[in-house]
mmCIF file with all atom_site columns, all heavy atoms in Angstrom:
data_model
loop_
_atom_site.group_PDB
_atom_site.id
_atom_site.type_symbol
_atom_site.label_atom_id
_atom_site.label_alt_id
_atom_site.label_comp_id
_atom_site.label_asym_id
_atom_site.label_entity_id
_atom_site.label_seq_id
_atom_site.pdbx_PDB_ins_code
_atom_site.Cartn_x
_atom_site.Cartn_y
_atom_site.Cartn_z
_atom_site.occupancy
_atom_site.B_iso_or_equiv
_atom_site.pdbx_formal_charge
_atom_site.auth_seq_id
_atom_site.auth_comp_id
_atom_site.auth_asym_id
_atom_site.auth_atom_id
_atom_site.pdbx_PDB_model_num
ATOM 1  N N   . PRO A 1 95  ? 74.965 114.764 133.057 1.00 78.00 ? 95  PRO A N   1
ATOM 2  C CA  . PRO A 1 95  ? 75.060 113.395 132.555 1.00 78.00 ? 95  PRO A CA  1
ATOM 3  C C   . PRO A 1 95  ? 74.842 113.247 131.031 1.00 78.00 ? 95  PRO A C   1
ATOM 4  O O   . PRO A 1 95  ? 74.262 114.088 130.379 1.00 78.00 ? 95  PRO A O   1
ATOM 5  C CB  . PRO A 1 95  ? 73.814 112.648 133.270 1.00 78.00 ? 95  PRO A CB  1
ATOM 6  C CG  . PRO A 1 95  ? 73.487 113.527 134.423 1.00 78.00 ? 95  PRO A CG  1
ATOM 7  C CD  . PRO A 1 95  ? 73.801 115.029 133.946 1.00 78.00 ? 95  PRO A CD  1
ATOM 8  N N   . PRO A 1 96  ? 75.571 112.228 130.484 1.00 82.00 ? 96  PRO A N   1
ATOM 9  C CA  . PRO A 1 96  ? 75.368 111.861 129.138 1.00 82.00 ? 96  PRO A CA  1
ATOM 10 C C   . PRO A 1 96  ? 73.902 111.753 128.714 1.00 82.00 ? 96  PRO A C   1
ATOM 11 O O   . PRO A 1 96  ? 73.136 111.172 129.479 1.00 82.00 ? 96  PRO A O   1
ATOM 12 C CB  . PRO A 1 96  ? 76.169 110.666 128.851 1.00 82.00 ? 96  PRO A CB  1
ATOM 13 C CG  . PRO A 1 96  ? 77.090 110.488 129.989 1.00 82.00 ? 96  PRO A CG  1
ATOM 14 C CD  . PRO A 1 96  ? 76.472 111.217 131.127 1.00 82.00 ? 96  PRO A CD  1
ATOM 15 N N   . SER A 1 97  ? 73.491 112.255 127.595 1.00 80.00 ? 97  SER A N   1
ATOM 16 C CA  . SER A 1 97  ? 72.115 112.012 127.157 1.00 80.00 ? 97  SER A CA  1
ATOM 17 C C   . SER A 1 97  ? 72.196 111.797 125.635 1.00 80.00 ? 97  SER A C   1
ATOM 18 O O   . SER A 1 97  ? 72.624 112.663 124.905 1.00 80.00 ? 97  SER A O   1
ATOM 19 C CB  . SER A 1 97  ? 71.331 113.309 127.402 1.00 80.00 ? 97  SER A CB  1
ATOM 20 O OG  . SER A 1 97  ? 69.919 113.163 126.894 1.00 80.00 ? 97  SER A OG  1
ATOM 21 N N   . PRO A 1 98  ? 71.815 110.623 125.269 1.00 81.00 ? 98  PRO A N   1
ATOM 22 C CA  . PRO A 1 98  ? 71.389 109.572 126.107 1.00 81.00 ? 98  PRO A CA  1
ATOM 23 C C   . PRO A 1 98  ? 72.502 108.963 127.009 1.00 81.00 ? 98  PRO A C   1
ATOM 24 O O   . PRO A 1 98  ? 73.633 109.191 126.733 1.00 81.00 ? 98  PRO A O   1
ATOM 25 C CB  . PRO A 1 98  ? 70.897 108.522 125.033 1.00 81.00 ? 98  PRO A CB  1
ATOM 26 C CG  . PRO A 1 98  ? 71.672 108.741 123.878 1.00 81.00 ? 98  PRO A CG  1
ATOM 27 C CD  . PRO A 1 98  ? 71.935 110.190 123.845 1.00 81.00 ? 98  PRO A CD  1
ATOM 28 N N   . MET A 1 99  ? 72.156 108.133 128.043 1.00 84.00 ? 99  MET A N   1
ATOM 29 C CA  . MET A 1 99  ? 73.053 107.697 128.949 1.00 84.00 ? 99  MET A CA  1
ATOM 30 C C   . MET A 1 99  ? 74.080 106.790 128.309 1.00 84.00 ? 99  MET A C   1
ATOM 31 O O   . MET A 1 99  ? 73.729 105.876 127.524 1.00 84.00 ? 99  MET A O   1
ATOM 32 C CB  . MET A 1 99  ? 72.442 107.006 130.054 1.00 84.00 ? 99  MET A CB  1
ATOM 33 C CG  . MET A 1 99  ? 73.381 106.413 131.142 1.00 84.00 ? 99  MET A CG  1
ATOM 34 S SD  . MET A 1 99  ? 74.492 107.607 131.879 1.00 84.00 ? 99  MET A SD  1
ATOM 35 C CE  . MET A 1 99  ? 73.377 108.606 132.851 1.00 84.00 ? 99  MET A CE  1
ATOM 36 N N   . ILE A 1 100 ? 75.292 106.998 128.522 1.00 82.00 ? 100 ILE A N   1
ATOM 37 C CA  . ILE A 1 100 ? 76.527 106.159 127.981 1.00 82.00 ? 100 ILE A CA  1
ATOM 38 C C   . ILE A 1 100 ? 77.346 105.921 129.290 1.00 82.00 ? 100 ILE A C   1
ATOM 39 O O   . ILE A 1 100 ? 77.767 106.906 129.882 1.00 82.00 ? 100 ILE A O   1
ATOM 40 C CB  . ILE A 1 100 ? 77.384 106.842 126.953 1.00 82.00 ? 100 ILE A CB  1
ATOM 41 C CG1 . ILE A 1 100 ? 76.472 107.072 125.724 1.00 82.00 ? 100 ILE A CG1 1
ATOM 42 C CG2 . ILE A 1 100 ? 78.517 105.928 126.615 1.00 82.00 ? 100 ILE A CG2 1
ATOM 43 C CD1 . ILE A 1 100 ? 77.232 107.775 124.688 1.00 82.00 ? 100 ILE A CD1 1
ATOM 44 N N   . ARG A 1 101 ? 77.546 104.707 129.545 1.00 77.00 ? 101 ARG A N   1
ATOM 45 C CA  . ARG A 1 101 ? 78.374 104.286 130.744 1.00 77.00 ? 101 ARG A CA  1
ATOM 46 C C   . ARG A 1 101 ? 79.851 104.170 130.391 1.00 77.00 ? 101 ARG A C   1
ATOM 47 O O   . ARG A 1 101 ? 80.098 103.758 129.215 1.00 77.00 ? 101 ARG A O   1
ATOM 48 C CB  . ARG A 1 101 ? 77.890 103.068 131.323 1.00 77.00 ? 101 ARG A CB  1
ATOM 49 C CG  . ARG A 1 101 ? 76.487 103.204 131.994 1.00 77.00 ? 101 ARG A CG  1
ATOM 50 C CD  . ARG A 1 101 ? 76.156 101.881 132.708 1.00 77.00 ? 101 ARG A CD  1
ATOM 51 N NE  . ARG A 1 101 ? 74.726 101.991 133.260 1.00 77.00 ? 101 ARG A NE  1
ATOM 52 C CZ  . ARG A 1 101 ? 74.516 102.419 134.420 1.00 77.00 ? 101 ARG A CZ  1
ATOM 53 N NH1 . ARG A 1 101 ? 75.402 102.694 135.231 1.00 77.00 ? 101 ARG A NH1 1
ATOM 54 N NH2 . ARG A 1 101 ? 73.236 102.497 134.896 1.00 77.00 ? 101 ARG A NH2 1
ATOM 55 N N   . GLY A 1 102 ? 80.754 104.323 131.209 1.00 79.00 ? 102 GLY A N   1
ATOM 56 C CA  . GLY A 1 102 ? 82.135 104.060 131.034 1.00 79.00 ? 102 GLY A CA  1
ATOM 57 C C   . GLY A 1 102 ? 82.302 102.584 130.787 1.00 79.00 ? 102 GLY A C   1
ATOM 58 O O   . GLY A 1 102 ? 81.629 101.739 131.449 1.00 79.00 ? 102 GLY A O   1
ATOM 59 N N   . SER A 1 103 ? 83.171 102.120 129.905 1.00 76.00 ? 103 SER A N   1
ATOM 60 C CA  . SER A 1 103 ? 83.323 100.730 129.607 1.00 76.00 ? 103 SER A CA  1
ATOM 61 C C   . SER A 1 103 ? 84.002 99.911  130.721 1.00 76.00 ? 103 SER A C   1
ATOM 62 O O   . SER A 1 103 ? 83.941 98.633  130.662 1.00 76.00 ? 103 SER A O   1
ATOM 63 C CB  . SER A 1 103 ? 84.086 100.649 128.275 1.00 76.00 ? 103 SER A CB  1
ATOM 64 O OG  . SER A 1 103 ? 85.405 101.089 128.370 1.00 76.00 ? 103 SER A OG  1
ATOM 65 N N   . GLY A 1 104 ? 84.710 100.562 131.661 1.00 67.00 ? 104 GLY A N   1
ATOM 66 C CA  . GLY A 1 104 ? 85.328 99.818  132.710 1.00 67.00 ? 104 GLY A CA  1
ATOM 67 C C   . GLY A 1 104 ? 86.440 99.049  132.294 1.00 67.00 ? 104 GLY A C   1
ATOM 68 O O   . GLY A 1 104 ? 86.870 99.109  131.205 1.00 67.00 ? 104 GLY A O   1
#
Side-chain angles (χ1 to χ4, degrees):
S97 178
M99 181 55 68
I100 297 176
R101 296 181 182 268
S103 62

